[in-house]
Every structure is written in C-alpha cells, then in structure tokens.
Amino acid sequence: MFSALLIFAAGCVHYSPQPLAPEQTAAQLESRRLDDPGLEKFLEQNLGRELKNWPATNWDFSELTLVAFYFHPSLEVARAQWLVASAGIKTAGARPNPSISVTPGYDSQIPGNYSPWLVSATFDMPIETAGKRGKRLAEAEKISEAARWNFVSAVWQVRSGVRASLLDFQITGRRTALLEKQFAAQQEIGRRLQQRFDAGEISRPDLTLAQIALNQTQSDLSAARAQRAEAHSRLAEALGVREAALDGENLNFDFAPPVAGQLTSVGARNVALRSRADIFAALADYAATEADLQLQVAKQYPDLHLGPGYAWNSGNAGDNEWSLGLTLELPILDQNQGPIAEAEARRKLSAAKFIELQAQIIGQIDRAVAVVRVAQAQLQTGDDLL
C-alpha cells in the first residue's frame, strides 16, 4: 500500500503559481517595436531568407502581415483556446479509477476469538457500457478540430485587418498629397486674382469665388490629414504594436488592379463555401454536437460496478470472508431524457448557425463583387475624364 501511495504521489502534477502582473504586461506591450530581435528571427524563418538590412525601414504587405502574426494578441487567445480544447481530449479519454473502502469493526462477543477487531475491505471497479468513452473522445476531438479552424480563421482575420488598414493608410496618404497640391495651386490662383482685383481688372465676386474654393480645399485637407492620422493609428492596432513603433517606417502597398472579369459571384461562393476556415469550424462544431447527442443517448444505459470485498478476522483465520458484489443502477425514474433533449436542441442550434453563416458568406461575396464592379466603372469614368 505504501509503495502504491509513493507511485501515485510521483505521478501527480504539482501546482505552479503564475500570477499576472498588470504593470509588467503593460510594459511588454509598450516595448513592442519593429526592430525586435525575436521578430527578425520570425521573419527569416517564415520568409525563407536572411534579412540583410536590419532593422528594416521599408515594409510591404507580406512583411507587415508577419509582423501582425508575431505581435497581435488575438492570435494568442485563439491559440490558447485551441490548446484548451486539445487538452479536453485527454480528459475525455480518461478511464474511471477504482476505489477501495475499508470498514473496521469491533465485536467482543465472538466466541473463542481473542481479538474483537474485524476489518473488511471493499473494492469498486466501474465499467463503462455502451461505448461511452469512445463517444466522449469523438466529441472532444471534434471540439478540438473546431478550435483549430477558429485559430485559422483568427489568422485570416488578422491578415485582413492589416490589409484593410494598410490600404486605408495608403489611400488617405495619396488623398492628402493631392489636396496639398490642389491647395498650393489655389493659393497661387488666389494671389494672382487678388493682384488683378487690386488693379481693377476683375470684380469682387470673382475673387470671392476663388477664396471660397480655397477655404473648402483647406477644410478638405485638414479632414484628410486627420483621416490619415487615424488610419496610421488603426494600422498600428492591426499590427499589435504602439503607434510610435511605426514612426519613420516606410509602409508600402501594391495597388495592382484586378483583372476585369476575374472575380465572379458564383465562383467566389463555390470557393468560400468549400474552403473557408469558419465553414470548417462550423462543420466541426456540428459534428461535436452530434457526438454529444450519441453520448447522451448512450448514457441511458447504466454502468456496471464490480465490488469484490474481503473481511479479515484477526482472531480466527477461518472466519475471513471473500465476497463479490455487482452494482447496477436501475434506470426507472430517469432515462437521461433531459440531457438528450438538450443535446438535440444544441444540434439544431449548431445546424441553424451553420446555415446562417453560409447565408452571411453568400451576402458578403455578392456585395463585394458588386462593389468591385462599381469601382471598376468609376475607374473607367475617371480615366475617360482624365
């Protein structure tokens, strides 16, 4: 018995406290910069080449995406959720432990017995029926698969956030530069019109119209500069760093125009509804609810409990007794109807969520294709006017 206790103690996991220090975590977030040595190694591993100029000052979309993969906290959350779900597989596969019950007794009226003590020991060895362990494992594996696809979806969302923020930053920068040129040109126009007005060559309304246009351009320029500053801040947030970390960095985006007719609503839907990570996650979640329903149905059948026992009489060896017990729960008052009904409802809910997700994806794709077509028409109109 003592040896068994030692083996049990050696196999136990010991608790190791890891308290959170808000000041320390905040300082780590504040210290994130694009010249981080760990970021350099991460970029070299994922780009497959050595970075010759480090720290870098020119960043393109693919490099900034890797920066976000390295720093963005939402990926750590999704990865931790995946690890939690994976750990659930080990929990689901655990087998119930046997137990022992020792019941000492005292009887001083046993004839011819020099010791009044009686010691009885009873073992309880549970045996699961109806394949419950396998069904638990199947459910846990599907939950882990759903968490893995949720992590992939989080990675794609981070990439999309970087792309949208970088694109917005570049567009607001171009708009600001154009308005600055326009403002300078209108200032020169206003100066010359003022000279002509002073010379009596034009009337006051002609000069006023130019001043109004100048004031409007100045207002548009101020708004564009504010939008650029906001886009700069959103880009830093999408990368998971402070805005100051982007100061002095040259951020580039390739504005390669899409090929006309390349994107179709039907083709995009076919690809998305077969290969999007959130579709796979929803399918895995539905499979997990089905496995849970199978498990709850299996729980209608009670488990067996073998209970061999031994009673030791220290006075007379001939009085020692062996016994073999069998315990079986009688499913008379409850046949697990409540959990089965809940599992069926969760399966219906998961199916409804999957259909809702498909409808959202179809709507998003149709809307995106329409926006692209309108933008292409606007671009063609702009080229014609130019």
Side-chain angles (χ1 to χ4, degrees):
M1 179 67 72
F2 182 71
S3 300
L5 291 176
L6 287 178
I7 295 174
F8 170 75
C12 289
V13 177
H14 299 283
Y15 169 71
S16 177
Q18 294 183 356
L20 280 177
E23 298 82 4
Q24 183 178 357
T25 54
Q28 292 174 351
L29 293 173
E30 292 284 342
S31 63
R32 290 179 174 179
R33 297 185 59 83
L34 298 187
D35 56 358
D36 187 283
L39 176 61
E40 179 185 8
K41 295 180 180 179
F42 182 78
L43 290 173
E44 290 178 344
Q45 290 174 354
N46 288 275
L47 292 175
R49 56 182 171 84
E50 183 180 356
L51 300 178
K52 298 181 180 179
N53 299 322
W54 187 264
T57 56
N58 293 298
W59 301 85
D60 58 20
F61 171 58
S62 60
E63 294 168 342
L64 289 175
T65 300
L66 292 176
V67 171
F69 290 168
Y70 184 78
F71 283 125
H72 207 283
S74 65
L75 294 185
E76 283 300 318
V77 175
R79 186 181 291 109
Q81 291 172 339
W82 181 14
L83 292 176
V84 170
S86 299
I89 298 178
K90 184 180 294 185
T91 302
R95 299 180 183 273
N97 287 319
S99 62
I100 181 173
S101 175
V102 179
T103 309
Y106 184 88
D107 188 352
S108 61
Q109 304 299 322
I110 301 177
N113 192 8
Y114 63 84
S115 175
W117 288 102
L118 302 173
V119 180
S120 62
T122 304
F123 295 89
D124 178 39
M125 291 181 290
I127 301 176
E128 290 186 301
T129 60
K132 296 185 182 72
R133 180 174 177 270
K135 292 178 174 61
R136 281 201 312 271
L137 279 170
E139 179 185 4
E141 288 170 354
K142 291 303 180 181
I143 292 175
S144 177
E145 183 182 352
R148 180 173 68 88
W149 284 114
N150 285 332
F151 172 73
V152 175
S153 181
V155 171
W156 183 257
Q157 289 173 3
V158 168
R159 179 188 181 276
S160 300
V162 173
R163 186 182 187 278
S165 300
L166 183 59
L167 180 60
D168 191 30
F169 178 70
Q170 292 291 335
I171 290 177
T172 54
R174 290 191 175 191
R175 176 173 172 77
T176 300
L178 290 173
L179 287 173
E180 287 174 348
K181 293 180 180 180
Q182 181 178 343
F183 181 69
Q186 288 182 331
Q187 278 185 317
E188 178 63 20
I189 291 173
R191 185 185 65 81
R192 296 191 179 188
L193 288 177
Q194 182 67 47
Q195 292 176 347
R196 295 182 63 187
F197 174 77
D198 294 339
E201 296 180 1
I202 61 174
S203 63
R204 169 64 67 177
D206 294 330
L207 178 60
T208 301
L209 289 175
Q211 291 173 340
I212 291 175
L214 178 63
N215 293 336
Q216 182 62 48
T217 301
Q218 186 177 15
S219 177
D220 294 341
L221 178 58
S222 299
R225 287 172 176 170
Q227 291 172 356
R228 180 170 174 77
E230 183 179 356
H232 190 263
S233 177
R234 286 199 302 269
L235 177 58
E237 181 181 358
L239 295 175
V241 299
R242 293 179 57 221
E243 186 177 1
L246 300 182
D247 292 343
E249 304 291 341
N250 187 18
L251 311 174
N252 302 311
F253 188 88
D254 185 12
F255 283 91
V259 179
Q262 181 181 7
L263 186 62
T264 63
S265 179
V266 175
R269 280 202 302 267
N270 290 336
V271 173
L273 296 179
R274 289 198 310 266
S275 59
R276 274 181 53 148
D278 50 358
I279 286 290
F280 288 136
L283 287 173
D285 181 73
Y286 180 77
T289 60
E290 282 213 311
D292 179 54
L293 178 57
Q294 292 177 352
L295 176 61
Q296 298 306 326
V297 170
K299 285 184 178 181
Q300 294 179 108
Y301 306 97
D303 295 333
L304 291 174
H305 290 265
L306 295 179
Y310 174 73
W312 176 65
N313 187 332
S314 62
N316 293 316
D319 290 340
N320 297 342
E321 297 179 357
W322 288 93
S323 63
L324 180 61
L326 179 64
T327 303
L328 179 67
E329 180 184 352
L330 298 178
I332 299 175
L333 301 179
D334 178 32
Q335 292 83 34
N336 208 41
Q337 296 98 330
I340 291 176
E342 291 181 9
E344 289 179 340
R346 283 192 293 268
R347 185 175 65 172
K348 290 181 180 179
L349 175 61
S350 180
K353 287 183 176 180
F354 177 76
I355 296 174
E356 179 188 28
L357 176 62
Q358 283 188 319
Q360 290 176 351
I361 291 174
I362 291 173
Q364 291 171 358
I365 292 174
D366 290 343
R367 185 166 58 252
V369 171
V371 169
V372 169
R373 290 173 179 171
V374 171
Q376 289 174 341
Q378 291 176 339
L379 179 63
Q380 182 62 44
T381 302
D383 289 338
D384 294 341
L385 292 174
L386 181 61

